[in-house]
Amino acid sequence: MNGLHRLLVPLCLLLLGACATPGIAPQTDAPRTLLLVSLDGVHPSYLGRGDTPNLDRLAREGVQAAWMNPSYPSLTFPNHYTIVTGLRPDRHGIVHNTMHDDALGGFWLANREAVGDGRWWSGEPIWVAAENAGLATATLSWPGSEAPVADVRPARWHPFDADRPIAARIDMVAGWLAEPIATRPRLATLYFEHPDGSAHAHGPHSAELRATMREVDAAIGTLLARLESAGVRDATDLVIVSDHGMAEVPEGQVVATEEMADPEIATLVMHGQVVGFRPVEGRETEAERALLGRHAHHQCWRRHELPPRWRYGTHPRVPAIVCQMDKGWDALPRKSLARRPSGTRGSHGYDPAEPEMRAIFIANGPSFRRGATLPAFDNVDVYPLLARLLGVPPAPNDGALETLLPALSEPLPHAAPPPSH
Ligand SMILES: [Zn+2]
Protein backbone atom coordinates (compact mmCIF):
# COMPACT_ATOMS: atom_id res chain seq x y z
CA MET A 1 0.00 0.00 0.00
CA ASN A 2 1.49 3.39 -0.93
CA GLY A 3 1.47 6.53 1.18
CA LEU A 4 -1.58 8.06 -0.48
CA HIS A 5 -3.62 4.96 0.13
CA ARG A 6 -2.50 4.87 3.75
CA LEU A 7 -4.10 8.29 4.14
CA LEU A 8 -7.18 7.58 2.06
CA VAL A 9 -8.26 4.35 3.67
CA PRO A 10 -8.87 5.85 7.12
CA LEU A 11 -10.58 8.82 5.44
CA CYS A 12 -12.89 6.46 3.53
CA LEU A 13 -13.66 4.70 6.79
CA LEU A 14 -14.53 8.02 8.39
CA LEU A 15 -16.85 8.77 5.51
CA LEU A 16 -18.64 5.45 5.96
CA GLY A 17 -17.18 4.00 2.82
CA ALA A 18 -18.51 6.82 0.68
CA CYS A 19 -15.35 7.18 -1.39
CA ALA A 20 -13.76 4.67 -3.68
CA THR A 21 -10.10 4.94 -4.57
CA PRO A 22 -8.68 3.14 -7.57
CA GLY A 23 -7.21 -0.15 -6.41
CA ILE A 24 -8.98 -0.08 -3.06
CA ALA A 25 -12.30 -1.78 -2.60
CA PRO A 26 -14.93 0.41 -0.93
CA GLN A 27 -15.15 -0.30 2.76
CA THR A 28 -17.79 0.36 5.33
CA ASP A 29 -17.31 0.64 9.05
CA ALA A 30 -20.76 -0.70 9.86
CA PRO A 31 -20.25 -2.95 12.84
CA ARG A 32 -20.71 -6.62 12.11
CA THR A 33 -23.00 -8.86 14.06
CA LEU A 34 -21.87 -12.34 14.97
CA LEU A 35 -24.73 -14.84 14.93
CA LEU A 36 -23.94 -18.16 16.57
CA VAL A 37 -26.41 -20.91 15.65
CA SER A 38 -26.65 -24.40 17.13
CA LEU A 39 -28.50 -27.28 15.53
CA ASP A 40 -28.57 -29.86 18.28
CA GLY A 41 -27.26 -33.28 17.34
CA VAL A 42 -26.30 -32.69 13.69
CA HIS A 43 -23.69 -35.17 12.46
CA PRO A 44 -21.65 -34.10 9.40
CA SER A 45 -23.19 -36.93 7.37
CA TYR A 46 -26.60 -35.20 7.56
CA LEU A 47 -25.27 -32.47 5.26
CA GLY A 48 -24.72 -32.73 1.53
CA ARG A 49 -27.27 -35.45 0.84
CA GLY A 50 -30.12 -33.37 -0.52
CA ASP A 51 -31.87 -32.38 2.71
CA THR A 52 -29.93 -29.20 3.48
CA PRO A 53 -29.48 -26.94 0.43
CA ASN A 54 -29.11 -23.80 2.55
CA LEU A 55 -26.55 -25.21 4.96
CA ASP A 56 -24.70 -26.76 2.03
CA ARG A 57 -24.50 -23.43 0.24
CA LEU A 58 -23.26 -21.65 3.37
CA ALA A 59 -20.59 -24.32 3.74
CA ARG A 60 -19.61 -24.27 0.08
CA GLU A 61 -19.40 -20.49 -0.10
CA GLY A 62 -17.84 -20.06 3.32
CA VAL A 63 -15.80 -22.24 5.63
CA GLN A 64 -16.57 -25.74 6.80
CA ALA A 65 -14.65 -28.13 8.97
CA ALA A 66 -14.32 -31.79 8.07
CA TRP A 67 -15.91 -32.20 11.47
CA MET A 68 -15.71 -30.82 15.02
CA ASN A 69 -14.84 -33.03 18.00
CA PRO A 70 -17.19 -32.71 20.98
CA SER A 71 -15.73 -32.53 24.47
CA TYR A 72 -16.29 -35.25 27.05
CA PRO A 73 -19.02 -36.05 27.89
CA SER A 74 -20.63 -35.76 24.42
CA LEU A 75 -23.86 -34.38 25.92
CA THR A 76 -25.86 -31.25 25.14
CA PHE A 77 -25.38 -28.84 28.04
CA PRO A 78 -21.68 -29.60 28.63
CA ASN A 79 -20.83 -29.04 24.96
CA HIS A 80 -22.94 -25.96 24.36
CA TYR A 81 -21.27 -24.32 27.33
CA THR A 82 -17.85 -25.44 26.11
CA ILE A 83 -18.47 -23.79 22.73
CA VAL A 84 -19.18 -20.41 24.37
CA THR A 85 -16.47 -20.57 27.07
CA GLY A 86 -13.64 -22.51 25.43
CA LEU A 87 -13.42 -24.59 28.60
CA ARG A 88 -13.71 -28.36 28.87
CA PRO A 89 -16.74 -29.46 30.92
CA ASP A 90 -14.43 -30.57 33.73
CA ARG A 91 -13.34 -26.92 34.01
CA HIS A 92 -16.60 -25.03 33.42
CA GLY A 93 -18.58 -27.19 35.82
CA ILE A 94 -21.45 -28.35 33.59
CA VAL A 95 -20.10 -31.87 33.75
CA HIS A 96 -23.34 -33.60 32.66
CA ASN A 97 -26.96 -32.76 31.85
CA THR A 98 -27.82 -34.13 35.30
CA MET A 99 -25.60 -33.25 38.24
CA HIS A 100 -25.35 -33.16 42.00
CA ASP A 101 -23.46 -30.46 43.86
CA ASP A 102 -23.04 -30.74 47.62
CA ALA A 103 -23.78 -27.02 48.11
CA LEU A 104 -26.33 -26.42 45.34
CA GLY A 105 -28.28 -29.68 45.23
CA GLY A 106 -29.57 -31.17 41.99
CA PHE A 107 -29.27 -29.94 38.41
CA TRP A 108 -31.35 -31.33 35.58
CA LEU A 109 -32.60 -29.71 32.39
CA ALA A 110 -36.22 -29.27 33.50
CA ASN A 111 -35.12 -27.68 36.81
CA ARG A 112 -35.48 -24.07 35.69
CA GLU A 113 -34.30 -22.73 39.03
CA ALA A 114 -30.96 -24.57 38.74
CA VAL A 115 -30.55 -23.78 35.03
CA GLY A 116 -31.00 -20.09 35.88
CA ASP A 117 -28.63 -20.14 38.88
CA GLY A 118 -25.28 -18.60 37.98
CA ARG A 119 -23.48 -20.60 40.66
CA TRP A 120 -23.63 -23.69 38.44
CA TRP A 121 -21.93 -21.96 35.51
CA SER A 122 -18.21 -21.16 35.72
CA GLY A 123 -15.95 -19.54 33.17
CA GLU A 124 -16.86 -16.52 31.07
CA PRO A 125 -19.33 -17.15 28.25
CA ILE A 126 -18.72 -15.05 25.17
CA TRP A 127 -21.79 -12.88 25.81
CA VAL A 128 -20.33 -11.85 29.17
CA ALA A 129 -17.06 -10.83 27.50
CA ALA A 130 -19.06 -8.89 24.90
CA GLU A 131 -21.32 -7.16 27.43
CA ASN A 132 -18.29 -6.24 29.55
CA ALA A 133 -16.73 -4.69 26.45
CA GLY A 134 -19.87 -2.61 25.87
CA LEU A 135 -21.26 -4.75 23.02
CA ALA A 136 -24.97 -5.55 23.19
CA THR A 137 -25.90 -9.23 23.08
CA ALA A 138 -29.13 -11.18 22.58
CA THR A 139 -29.66 -14.91 23.05
CA LEU A 140 -32.35 -17.39 22.02
CA SER A 141 -31.80 -19.63 23.99
CA TRP A 142 -28.26 -20.91 24.49
CA PRO A 143 -27.61 -23.20 27.46
CA GLY A 144 -26.15 -20.96 30.18
CA SER A 145 -27.70 -17.75 28.88
CA GLU A 146 -30.59 -17.92 31.34
CA ALA A 147 -28.25 -17.51 34.30
CA PRO A 148 -26.31 -14.45 35.43
CA VAL A 149 -22.71 -15.63 35.04
CA ALA A 150 -20.29 -13.42 36.95
CA ASP A 151 -23.43 -11.31 37.52
CA VAL A 152 -23.83 -10.60 33.79
CA ARG A 153 -26.64 -11.73 31.51
CA PRO A 154 -27.11 -11.00 27.81
CA ALA A 155 -28.93 -7.67 27.37
CA ARG A 156 -31.77 -9.69 25.84
CA TRP A 157 -32.30 -13.33 26.72
CA HIS A 158 -35.17 -15.79 26.72
CA PRO A 159 -35.88 -18.94 28.69
CA PHE A 160 -35.78 -22.04 26.55
CA ASP A 161 -39.26 -22.82 25.28
CA ALA A 162 -39.66 -25.99 23.23
CA ASP A 163 -43.14 -24.80 22.25
CA ARG A 164 -41.83 -21.68 20.52
CA PRO A 165 -42.36 -22.47 16.81
CA ILE A 166 -39.31 -22.51 14.57
CA ALA A 167 -40.79 -19.67 12.51
CA ALA A 168 -41.16 -17.52 15.63
CA ARG A 169 -37.53 -18.11 16.54
CA ILE A 170 -36.37 -17.06 13.07
CA ASP A 171 -38.65 -14.04 13.23
CA MET A 172 -37.22 -12.89 16.54
CA VAL A 173 -33.56 -13.27 15.58
CA ALA A 174 -34.03 -11.80 12.09
CA GLY A 175 -35.76 -8.88 13.77
CA TRP A 176 -32.80 -8.27 16.07
CA LEU A 177 -30.33 -8.33 13.21
CA ALA A 178 -32.41 -5.94 11.11
CA GLU A 179 -32.56 -3.31 13.83
CA PRO A 180 -30.82 0.05 13.39
CA ILE A 181 -27.15 -0.07 14.31
CA ALA A 182 -27.85 1.80 17.55
CA THR A 183 -29.80 -1.15 19.01
CA ARG A 184 -28.72 -4.11 16.87
CA PRO A 185 -26.91 -6.74 18.96
CA ARG A 186 -23.28 -7.37 18.08
CA LEU A 187 -23.59 -10.96 19.26
CA ALA A 188 -26.71 -13.08 18.94
CA THR A 189 -27.32 -16.76 19.49
CA LEU A 190 -29.99 -19.06 18.10
CA TYR A 191 -30.54 -22.57 19.43
CA PHE A 192 -32.57 -25.39 17.90
CA GLU A 193 -33.15 -28.60 19.83
CA HIS A 194 -33.69 -30.07 16.36
CA PRO A 195 -32.90 -32.58 15.00
CA ASP A 196 -31.76 -34.15 18.29
CA GLY A 197 -35.27 -35.12 19.37
CA SER A 198 -36.10 -36.90 16.10
CA ALA A 199 -32.83 -38.82 16.17
CA HIS A 200 -33.33 -39.89 19.81
CA ALA A 201 -36.85 -41.11 19.11
CA HIS A 202 -36.30 -42.79 15.73
CA GLY A 203 -32.56 -43.23 15.27
CA PRO A 204 -30.01 -41.34 13.17
CA HIS A 205 -30.86 -43.26 9.99
CA SER A 206 -34.60 -42.56 10.15
CA ALA A 207 -36.88 -40.76 7.73
CA GLU A 208 -38.01 -38.63 10.68
CA LEU A 209 -34.46 -37.35 11.19
CA ARG A 210 -34.18 -36.40 7.54
CA ALA A 211 -37.54 -34.61 7.61
CA THR A 212 -36.41 -32.57 10.61
CA MET A 213 -33.17 -31.66 8.85
CA ARG A 214 -35.20 -30.37 5.89
CA GLU A 215 -37.31 -28.33 8.31
CA VAL A 216 -34.40 -26.66 10.10
CA ASP A 217 -32.55 -26.08 6.84
CA ALA A 218 -35.60 -24.32 5.42
CA ALA A 219 -35.63 -22.17 8.57
CA ILE A 220 -32.01 -21.21 7.94
CA GLY A 221 -33.01 -20.33 4.37
CA THR A 222 -35.77 -18.07 5.68
CA LEU A 223 -33.34 -16.41 8.05
CA LEU A 224 -30.87 -15.72 5.22
CA ALA A 225 -33.64 -14.28 3.05
CA ARG A 226 -34.73 -12.00 5.88
CA LEU A 227 -31.17 -10.76 6.37
CA GLU A 228 -30.83 -10.15 2.61
CA SER A 229 -34.05 -8.17 2.39
CA ALA A 230 -33.07 -6.10 5.42
CA GLY A 231 -29.75 -5.33 3.76
CA VAL A 232 -27.70 -6.77 6.64
CA ARG A 233 -26.48 -10.06 5.20
CA ASP A 234 -23.08 -8.49 4.45
CA ALA A 235 -22.90 -7.20 8.01
CA THR A 236 -23.57 -10.60 9.59
CA ASP A 237 -21.04 -13.30 10.34
CA LEU A 238 -22.68 -16.69 10.78
CA VAL A 239 -21.13 -19.50 12.80
CA ILE A 240 -23.24 -22.67 12.72
CA VAL A 241 -22.33 -25.58 14.96
CA SER A 242 -23.74 -28.68 16.54
CA ASP A 243 -22.90 -30.03 19.98
CA HIS A 244 -22.46 -33.72 19.10
CA GLY A 245 -23.59 -36.34 16.61
CA MET A 246 -25.75 -39.41 17.21
CA ALA A 247 -25.33 -43.20 17.29
CA GLU A 248 -27.98 -45.80 16.62
CA VAL A 249 -29.27 -47.74 19.63
CA PRO A 250 -30.88 -50.99 18.46
CA GLU A 251 -33.98 -52.30 20.21
CA GLY A 252 -33.18 -53.79 23.59
CA GLN A 253 -29.66 -52.39 23.97
CA VAL A 254 -30.24 -50.92 27.40
CA VAL A 255 -28.94 -51.88 30.82
CA ALA A 256 -30.68 -51.24 34.15
CA THR A 257 -28.43 -49.14 36.36
CA GLU A 258 -29.51 -51.29 39.33
CA GLU A 259 -27.76 -54.18 37.60
CA MET A 260 -24.55 -52.16 37.34
CA ALA A 261 -24.54 -51.50 41.10
CA ASP A 262 -27.05 -52.27 43.85
CA PRO A 263 -28.48 -48.92 45.08
CA GLU A 264 -27.70 -50.12 48.63
CA ILE A 265 -23.96 -49.84 47.92
CA ALA A 266 -23.79 -47.02 45.34
CA THR A 267 -26.09 -44.06 44.71
CA LEU A 268 -26.83 -43.29 41.05
CA VAL A 269 -25.97 -39.64 40.28
CA MET A 270 -25.99 -39.57 36.44
CA HIS A 271 -27.41 -42.00 33.91
CA GLY A 272 -27.77 -42.43 30.19
CA GLN A 273 -24.43 -43.07 28.48
CA VAL A 274 -22.07 -41.50 31.02
CA VAL A 275 -23.18 -43.04 34.30
CA GLY A 276 -21.96 -41.76 37.66
CA PHE A 277 -22.17 -43.44 41.05
CA ARG A 278 -21.42 -42.23 44.57
CA PRO A 279 -20.55 -45.19 46.87
CA VAL A 280 -22.67 -45.33 49.99
CA GLU A 281 -20.62 -44.45 53.07
CA GLY A 282 -19.05 -47.56 54.51
CA ARG A 283 -19.80 -49.60 51.35
CA GLU A 284 -16.97 -48.15 49.21
CA THR A 285 -15.07 -51.40 48.77
CA GLU A 286 -18.19 -53.29 47.68
CA ALA A 287 -19.16 -50.51 45.29
CA GLU A 288 -15.75 -50.50 43.66
CA ARG A 289 -15.74 -54.29 43.40
CA ALA A 290 -19.10 -54.26 41.66
CA LEU A 291 -18.38 -51.39 39.32
CA LEU A 292 -14.72 -50.89 38.41
CA GLY A 293 -13.31 -52.39 35.25
CA ARG A 294 -14.63 -53.82 32.01
CA HIS A 295 -18.16 -55.22 31.74
CA ALA A 296 -20.18 -56.56 28.82
CA HIS A 297 -21.47 -53.18 27.63
CA HIS A 298 -19.65 -50.60 29.72
CA GLN A 299 -16.46 -49.79 31.58
CA CYS A 300 -16.03 -47.95 34.92
CA TRP A 301 -13.17 -46.02 36.49
CA ARG A 302 -12.46 -44.06 39.65
CA ARG A 303 -12.93 -40.49 38.51
CA HIS A 304 -9.24 -39.64 38.83
CA GLU A 305 -8.29 -42.66 36.71
CA LEU A 306 -10.40 -41.94 33.62
CA PRO A 307 -8.59 -42.01 30.25
CA PRO A 308 -6.52 -38.77 30.18
CA ARG A 309 -7.66 -37.88 26.66
CA TRP A 310 -11.15 -37.19 28.07
CA ARG A 311 -9.74 -34.47 30.37
CA TYR A 312 -12.47 -35.29 32.86
CA GLY A 313 -12.70 -36.23 36.51
CA THR A 314 -11.22 -33.39 38.57
CA HIS A 315 -14.33 -31.24 39.04
CA PRO A 316 -16.03 -31.91 42.40
CA ARG A 317 -19.33 -32.52 40.58
CA VAL A 318 -17.92 -35.56 38.81
CA PRO A 319 -19.03 -38.55 40.93
CA ALA A 320 -16.43 -40.86 42.49
CA ILE A 321 -17.05 -43.62 39.92
CA VAL A 322 -17.77 -42.92 36.25
CA CYS A 323 -18.96 -45.56 33.78
CA GLN A 324 -18.87 -45.10 30.03
CA MET A 325 -21.44 -47.10 28.07
CA ASP A 326 -20.29 -48.72 24.84
CA LYS A 327 -21.56 -47.14 21.65
CA GLY A 328 -25.16 -48.15 21.01
CA TRP A 329 -25.96 -48.94 24.64
CA ASP A 330 -27.93 -46.92 27.20
CA ALA A 331 -28.22 -47.29 30.98
CA LEU A 332 -31.43 -46.30 32.76
CA PRO A 333 -32.98 -46.81 36.20
CA ARG A 334 -35.66 -49.54 36.12
CA LYS A 335 -38.48 -47.01 36.59
CA SER A 336 -37.38 -45.19 33.39
CA LEU A 337 -36.85 -48.44 31.55
CA ALA A 338 -40.50 -49.26 32.02
CA ARG A 339 -41.49 -46.06 30.17
CA ARG A 340 -39.02 -46.51 27.32
CA PRO A 341 -40.72 -46.88 23.92
CA SER A 342 -39.74 -49.89 21.86
CA GLY A 343 -37.88 -49.75 18.56
CA THR A 344 -34.63 -48.38 17.22
CA ARG A 345 -33.49 -45.21 18.95
CA GLY A 346 -30.55 -42.83 18.88
CA SER A 347 -28.18 -41.70 21.63
CA HIS A 348 -25.06 -39.61 22.13
CA GLY A 349 -22.86 -39.36 25.19
CA TYR A 350 -20.41 -41.96 23.86
CA ASP A 351 -16.66 -41.58 23.60
CA PRO A 352 -16.06 -38.35 21.63
CA ALA A 353 -13.53 -40.29 19.55
CA GLU A 354 -16.36 -42.40 18.08
CA PRO A 355 -17.00 -41.09 14.53
CA GLU A 356 -20.76 -41.03 15.20
CA MET A 357 -20.22 -38.37 17.89
CA ARG A 358 -18.71 -35.84 15.47
CA ALA A 359 -20.31 -32.39 15.23
CA ILE A 360 -20.49 -29.76 12.48
CA PHE A 361 -18.85 -26.36 12.03
CA ILE A 362 -19.82 -23.93 9.25
CA ALA A 363 -18.86 -20.25 9.05
CA ASN A 364 -20.03 -17.76 6.45
CA GLY A 365 -19.97 -13.99 6.29
CA PRO A 366 -17.77 -11.01 5.55
CA SER A 367 -15.09 -12.04 8.06
CA PHE A 368 -14.65 -15.53 6.62
CA ARG A 369 -12.86 -16.96 3.65
CA ARG A 370 -14.96 -18.30 0.82
CA GLY A 371 -14.73 -21.93 -0.15
CA ALA A 372 -12.35 -23.14 2.56
CA THR A 373 -12.37 -26.58 4.18
CA LEU A 374 -10.57 -27.02 7.47
CA PRO A 375 -9.33 -30.20 9.08
CA ALA A 376 -11.17 -31.46 12.17
CA PHE A 377 -10.64 -29.62 15.46
CA ASP A 378 -11.85 -29.70 19.07
CA ASN A 379 -14.86 -27.56 19.96
CA VAL A 380 -12.86 -25.64 22.62
CA ASP A 381 -11.24 -23.80 19.68
CA VAL A 382 -14.48 -22.02 18.71
CA TYR A 383 -14.42 -19.64 21.68
CA PRO A 384 -11.14 -17.85 20.84
CA LEU A 385 -12.47 -17.40 17.30
CA LEU A 386 -15.68 -15.82 18.62
CA ALA A 387 -13.65 -13.47 20.83
CA ARG A 388 -11.48 -12.54 17.87
CA LEU A 389 -14.49 -11.82 15.68
CA LEU A 390 -15.97 -9.55 18.33
CA GLY A 391 -12.65 -7.91 19.10
CA VAL A 392 -12.96 -8.67 22.81
CA PRO A 393 -10.23 -10.15 25.03
CA PRO A 394 -10.77 -13.89 25.48
CA ALA A 395 -10.94 -15.19 29.04
CA PRO A 396 -8.51 -18.01 29.92
CA ASN A 397 -9.63 -21.07 27.97
CA ASP A 398 -8.62 -24.50 26.70
CA GLY A 399 -8.78 -23.59 23.01
CA ALA A 400 -6.27 -22.28 20.50
CA LEU A 401 -6.98 -19.31 18.21
CA GLU A 402 -4.40 -20.60 15.73
CA THR A 403 -6.66 -23.51 14.80
CA LEU A 404 -9.31 -21.32 13.23
CA LEU A 405 -7.25 -18.39 11.98
CA PRO A 406 -7.25 -20.01 8.51
CA ALA A 407 -11.03 -19.54 8.49
CA LEU A 408 -10.69 -15.76 8.47
CA SER A 409 -10.49 -13.49 5.48
CA GLU A 410 -7.91 -10.73 5.65
CA PRO A 411 -7.98 -8.11 6.86
CA LEU A 412 -10.33 -8.45 9.80
CA PRO A 413 -11.20 -4.81 10.45
CA HIS A 414 -13.18 -5.22 13.64
CA ALA A 415 -10.88 -7.59 15.47
CA ALA A 416 -8.17 -6.75 17.90
CA PRO A 417 -4.66 -7.09 16.45
CA PRO A 418 -3.04 -10.47 17.04
CA PRO A 419 -0.75 -10.62 20.05
CA SER A 420 2.86 -9.91 19.21
CA HIS A 421 5.40 -12.60 19.89
ZN1 LIG B 1 -27.42 -32.07 22.09
Side-chain angles (χ1 to χ4, degrees):
M1 191 183 284
N2 65 31
L4 177 64
H5 286 174
R6 279 181 207 281
L7 280 173
L8 283 174
V9 170
L11 190 60
C12 290
L13 290 174
L14 278 174
L15 296 172
L16 298 176
C19 63
T21 308
I24 298 179
Q27 298 186 36
T28 75
D29 68 350
R32 294 172 184 172
T33 292
L34 170 57
L35 173 60
L36 176 63
V37 180
S38 169
L39 307 175
D40 199 309
V42 173
H43 185 268
S45 66
Y46 303 170
L47 305 177
R49 58 177 182 181
D51 298 328
T52 56
N54 293 293
L55 289 167
D56 294 346
R57 183 163 52 84
L58 288 171
R60 194 170 56 243
E61 297 177 357
V63 178
Q64 73 176 316
W67 70 84
M68 188 165 76
N69 295 309
S71 295
Y72 189 94
S74 57
L75 297 172
T76 296
F77 265 47
N79 276 284
H80 275 92
Y81 203 54
T82 287
I83 289 165
V84 295
T85 60
L87 297 172
R88 303 270 178 194
D90 203 40
R91 293 232 288 154
H92 64 51
I94 305 300
V95 299
H96 202 282
N97 289 337
T98 305
M99 302 182 282
H100 171 83
D101 182 288
D102 286 342
L104 303 176
F107 181 105
W108 62 96
L109 302 191
N111 180 350
R112 306 314 300 173
E113 197 178 325
V115 166
D117 184 341
R119 293 174 298 174
W120 285 97
W121 309 82
S122 301
E124 184 183 87
I126 190 65
W127 54 79
V128 173
E131 289 284 345
N132 286 341
L135 306 179
T137 67
T139 55
L140 181 70
S141 308
W142 204 274
S145 65
E146 298 175 36
V149 180
D151 294 327
V152 177
R153 274 199 180 99
R156 285 179 269 187
W157 60 276
H158 296 269
F160 173 67
D161 179 3
D163 293 332
R164 192 192 302 271
I166 287 179
R169 303 181 198 194
I170 295 296
D171 206 44
M172 180 177 287
V173 172
W176 291 340
L177 270 53
E179 287 180 6
I181 286 172
T183 59
R184 187 188 308 163
R186 289 289 307 282
L187 167 68
T189 73
L190 172 58
Y191 169 73
F192 291 103
E193 68 277 27
H194 320 74
D196 184 80
S198 296
H200 278 302
H202 305 286
H205 307 300
S206 62
E208 289 85 350
L209 175 277
R210 295 190 70 160
T212 306
M213 283 306 297
R214 291 193 287 273
E215 189 181 6
V216 290
D217 184 78
I220 297 292
T222 304
L223 174 67
L224 294 171
R226 289 280 303 271
L227 299 183
E228 286 283 356
S229 66
V232 294
R233 178 67 188 91
D234 292 339
T236 307
D237 284 318
L238 274 165
V239 174
I240 302 176
V241 297
S242 61
D243 47 351
H244 50 72
M246 191 73 67
E248 186 170 275
V249 180
E251 166 78 36
Q253 291 202 176
V254 59
V255 174
T257 54
E258 290 88 345
E259 289 172 15
M260 298 169 73
D262 186 333
E264 298 214 334
I265 61 171
T267 302
L268 181 70
V269 182
M270 313 160 158
H271 62 261
Q273 301 72 33
V274 175
V275 187
F277 291 95
R278 185 175 58 245
V280 171
E281 213 174 318
R283 311 292 294 268
E284 291 85 351
T285 307
E286 290 165 88
E288 290 201 343
R289 195 181 305 132
L291 285 164
L292 294 181
R294 181 73 222 174
H295 301 265
H297 308 300
H298 67 277
Q299 187 168 354
C300 306
W301 297 261
R302 295 186 190 98
R303 70 191 191 112
H304 292 298
E305 297 172 352
L306 285 157
R309 65 192 172 84
W310 289 344
R311 297 178 179 85
Y312 191 75
T314 65
H315 197 282
R317 292 176 195 153
V318 177
I321 297 177
V322 176
C323 306
Q324 176 61 57
M325 301 305 294
D326 292 347
K327 185 174 65 184
W329 284 85
D330 292 334
L332 295 173
R334 283 207 180 93
K335 65 178 191 311
S336 304
L337 265 177
R339 296 195 298 265
R340 184 182 170 92
S342 60
T344 300
R345 300 179 53 77
S347 284
H348 50 89
Y350 304 116
D351 186 341
E354 297 282 2
E356 288 91 336
M357 293 300 98
R358 291 172 180 171
I360 63 160
F361 175 91
I362 296 170
N364 185 298
S367 299
F368 294 105
R369 284 174 60 201
R370 295 174 64 85
T373 300
L374 302 180
F377 59 87
D378 290 357
N379 65 356
V380 291
D381 294 331
V382 174
Y383 170 79
L385 173 75
L386 303 179
R388 174 70 181 257
L389 288 163
L390 291 167
V392 300
N397 64 83
D398 298 325
L401 175 63
E402 293 71 23
T403 308
L404 285 169
L405 279 181
L408 297 175
S409 60
E410 295 291 342
L412 187 58
H414 296 289
S420 55
H421 294 286

